[in-house]
Amino acid sequence: MTVLRKNLIDGEWLGEAGSRNINPSNTNDVVGEYASAGPVEAKQAIAAAKAAFPAWSRSGPLARHAVLKKTSDEIMARKDEIGRSLAREEGKTLAEGVGETIRAAQIFDFFAGETLRLSGELVPSVRPGVGVEMTREGVGVVGIITPWNFPIAIPAWKIAPALAYGNTIVFKPAELVPESAWTIVDILHRAGLPKGVLNLVMGKGSVVGQAMLDSPDVTAISFTGSVGTGKRVAAASVEHMRKFQLEMGGKNPLVVLDDADLGTAVDCAVNGAYFSTGQRCTASSRLIVTEGIHDRFVDAMRDRLDKLVIGDALDAKTQIGPVVDQTQLKQDEDYIAIGRQEGAELAFGGDRLERGTPGFYLQPALFVGSTNAMRISREEIFGPVANVIRVKDYDEALAVANDTPFGLTSGICTTSLKHATHFKRNSEAGMVMVNLPTAGVDFHVPFGGRKGSSYGPREQGRYAMEFYTTVKTAYTFAG
Ligand code: ADP
């Protein structure tokens, strides 16, 4: 018997049964039932957030600190339960689910601290007797639209700074992962947020999300998701002259040079390409490998992939969980077929796997003999699929790494200080890793990319302030 999870609008839990979410490790397991908001609820939520903004934006740091700290503490205290529920609805492993939950707690803790460090600047005017103050204020009603692949961390890294800097929120999570979204909102609500400051509207992107894009009362939108939807967010936001921030896809390169430590390179590639079932925008999908190490690298990858345990996300032994749903599984399989048609050779995996329960299990796939011009090298697959591109030397590796419409993360495995330093400076990505996987970032430093991957100011750390505040310059003549 599942309990109906409702939407939170103006401090009230509202709504009727609308949709269910399914465990991708076992499609017979219904995780929960959720109210589905429509355009009317979206409008109510936006109006509530608008009405709550004046008081919340003027609330003192202590009030904001208290809510964010309490939220962090409860998430941390319940990390195993919330992490398990996350793994159950999204399909990432238990360890990944708990790790992501801890991350969310850390993010709330970080921004709780930031509320006590808000500051401005005071400078003399060029005019005698005049003082100039520069302060930051919340921007207003922030629309937060999130994807399914980090069901608790991404909402946390948008909601926490939005609240810390005095904004009110309409939050629309992805349809596949409402439980994690509901949990975080429930915790924040009970932590003492005034009514209307945070509103949850679960429902279809094309309906609820679109209603947010179309509302002149949503003053800023932070979006993470696909390039296609990101472009809609951008176009609608320009129409309303609103601030917007987009985090979209990646086609992240991991360069492996002849002088790399082979063990480190394989660890980085397996983690970056396949952990979280490859469903990370920071995943390494292009493995760009120089000639001298290529064959040893491919052999070592095959050995390692063969030993990976793929199975039920809730089984503690599992290292790679299922793909999130049928649509994503079909996309992964379609790209595996495309890679073969394009002439790449499947060196490992790519088959559907049967397990004890009906689920979306896919064997990690590794292509070799691919070129950077192939579709599997240019389009984001968002699954456990990677391809090796063989190159002559470092210069060719760098050129191939940068030859992509995306620019989120990049990585290099090398023992050469010269090449590592050159790569850090010349890689056209927002985040660069040396002897580390392209995925896996800290929570207190900026996150974001270049080119087709991101638009607008960075997320996370102190840089988050850029998006969630607007600057005011005030002049005073004291007489
Ligand atoms: P993904 O492929 O990761 O599901 P999407 O861009 O489709 O990426 O979804 C990311 C988020 O954007 C989800 O919360 C989804 O519901 C929402 N979304 C989808 N379509 C729209 C739209 N037209 N307007 C606003 N939000 C949308």
Side-chain angles (χ1 to χ4, degrees):
M1 181 60 196
T2 54
V3 182
L4 174 67
R5 305 296 204 194
K6 298 184 177 178
N7 289 306
L8 184 68
I9 298 174
D10 205 15
E12 304 286 331
W13 293 106
L14 302 171
E16 310 285 321
S19 67
R20 295 169 147 202
N21 66 346
I22 302 294
N23 175 352
S25 301
N26 176 5
T27 54
N28 293 328
D29 177 29
V30 178
V31 179
E33 275 201 68
Y34 304 85
S36 197
V40 173
E41 288 82 1
K43 279 200 177 113
Q44 286 169 348
I46 294 165
K50 188 178 179 187
F53 178 70
W56 182 249
S57 64
R58 288 174 182 78
S59 63
L62 275 186
R64 296 183 210 165
H65 178 269
V67 170
L68 296 173
K69 184 75 177 79
K70 226 170 154 182
T71 299
S72 169
D73 290 347
E74 179 169 341
I75 293 173
M76 198 59 119
R78 293 173 56 196
K79 66 180 169 32
D80 293 322
E81 168 220 334
I82 296 172
R84 189 174 196 285
S85 157
L86 194 168
R88 184 175 164 210
E89 78 173 342
E90 199 270 355
K92 63 180 67 180
T93 65
L94 268 180
E96 289 168 338
V98 174
E100 187 183 331
T101 305
I102 293 171
R103 171 58 54 101
Q106 290 166 329
I107 291 166
F108 278 104
D109 189 49
F110 177 90
F111 284 104
E114 287 301 282
T115 61
L116 304 176
R117 283 188 284 269
L118 291 171
S119 63
E121 283 179 81
L122 182 61
V123 297
S125 164
V126 292
R127 288 167 282 171
V130 173
V132 188
E133 292 157 39
M134 287 160 275
T135 52
R136 286 181 178 269
E137 298 177 0
V139 291
V141 175
V142 178
I144 291 179
I145 302 177
T146 56
W148 49 260
N149 63 330
F150 284 93
I152 192 156
I154 294 180
W157 82 51
K158 296 182 191 294
I159 291 173
L163 292 176
Y165 299 120
N167 301 281
T168 56
I169 298 170
V170 178
F171 169 35
K172 200 223 79 74
E175 295 95 307
L176 288 174
V177 291
E179 183 63 27
S180 300
W182 185 89
T183 302
I184 200 172
V185 170
D186 174 54
I187 294 171
L188 279 156
H189 178 58
R190 285 187 292 97
L193 274 183
K195 74 185 178 91
V197 172
L198 172 63
N199 301 275
L200 171 69
V201 280
M202 298 178 285
K204 284 196 164 50
S206 56
V207 179
V208 181
Q210 193 63 46
M212 290 161 69
L213 303 195
D214 294 340
S215 170
D217 291 331
V218 175
T219 35
I221 290 191
S222 181
F223 167 85
T224 302
S226 63
V227 174
T229 310
K231 285 184 177 164
R232 297 176 86 112
V233 173
S237 296
V238 169
E239 182 68 25
H240 291 292
M241 302 291 270
R242 78 158 72 91
K243 208 170 178 179
F244 62 98
Q245 172 184 59
L246 312 174
E247 289 298 344
M248 301 168 289
K251 197 71 203 171
N252 310 297
L254 176 70
V255 170
V256 178
L257 296 186
D258 286 355
D259 62 25
D261 176 84
L262 186 62
T264 303
V266 171
D267 284 348
C268 290
V270 169
N271 176 322
Y274 303 109
F275 284 12
S276 296
T277 323
Q279 297 173 150
R280 297 186 281 193
C281 47
T282 51
S284 325
S285 47
R286 294 181 298 141
L287 308 174
I288 301 166
V289 184
T290 48
E291 284 174 347
I293 198 171
H294 177 275
D295 293 357
R296 282 183 292 138
F297 174 78
V298 171
D299 286 347
M301 285 293 288
R302 245 195 232 109
D303 280 357
R304 185 69 69 83
L305 291 177
D306 202 30
K307 293 191 185 88
L308 283 178
V309 182
I310 296 119
D312 191 316
L314 300 182
D315 182 335
K317 290 191 292 300
T318 293
Q319 292 172 296
I320 310 265
V323 171
V324 73
D325 72 351
Q326 182 59 46
T327 307
Q328 188 60 48
L329 181 64
K330 180 170 183 317
Q331 180 166 313
D332 297 345
E333 290 188 305
D334 286 352
Y335 271 110
I336 291 168
I338 289 167
R340 283 179 148 145
Q341 283 156 20
E342 288 180 309
E345 180 197 334
L346 204 49
F348 186 89
D351 292 326
R352 290 284 302 269
L353 295 172
E354 295 290 324
R355 290 294 179 259
T357 48
F360 309 113
Y361 299 106
L362 181 65
Q363 204 177 23
L366 180 70
F367 278 109
V368 294
S370 59
T371 70
N372 200 43
M374 292 177 175
R375 282 182 64 194
I376 54 166
S377 295
R378 306 209 74 78
E379 298 169 18
E380 188 177 46
I381 300 172
F382 220 63
V385 185
N387 55 297
V388 176
I389 302 170
R390 185 184 190 127
V391 291
K392 195 161 71 312
D393 54 16
Y394 169 74
D395 290 337
E396 189 184 352
L398 176 67
V400 169
N402 285 339
D403 178 9
T404 169
F406 295 106
L408 190 56
T409 59
S410 68
I412 187 165
C413 290
T414 179
T415 51
S416 155
L417 181 62
K418 184 178 152 206
H419 286 139
T421 307
H422 189 270
F423 189 78
K424 278 190 281 183
R425 174 63 190 85
N426 292 284
S427 171
E428 294 167 5
M431 296 172 283
V432 185
M433 317 290 179
V434 177
N435 295 320
L436 288 166
T438 58
V441 295
D442 287 3
F443 63 86
H444 64 310
V445 292
F447 178 98
R450 299 181 183 180
K451 300 199 265 186
S453 289
S454 306
Y455 188 93
R458 291 286 186 264
E459 303 202 71
Q460 303 203 59
R462 297 209 72 193
Y463 282 69
M465 187 193 292
E466 225 30 74
F467 180 73
Y468 291 101
T469 64
T470 179
V471 173
K472 180 172 280 172
T473 313
Y475 297 82
T476 309
F477 177 55

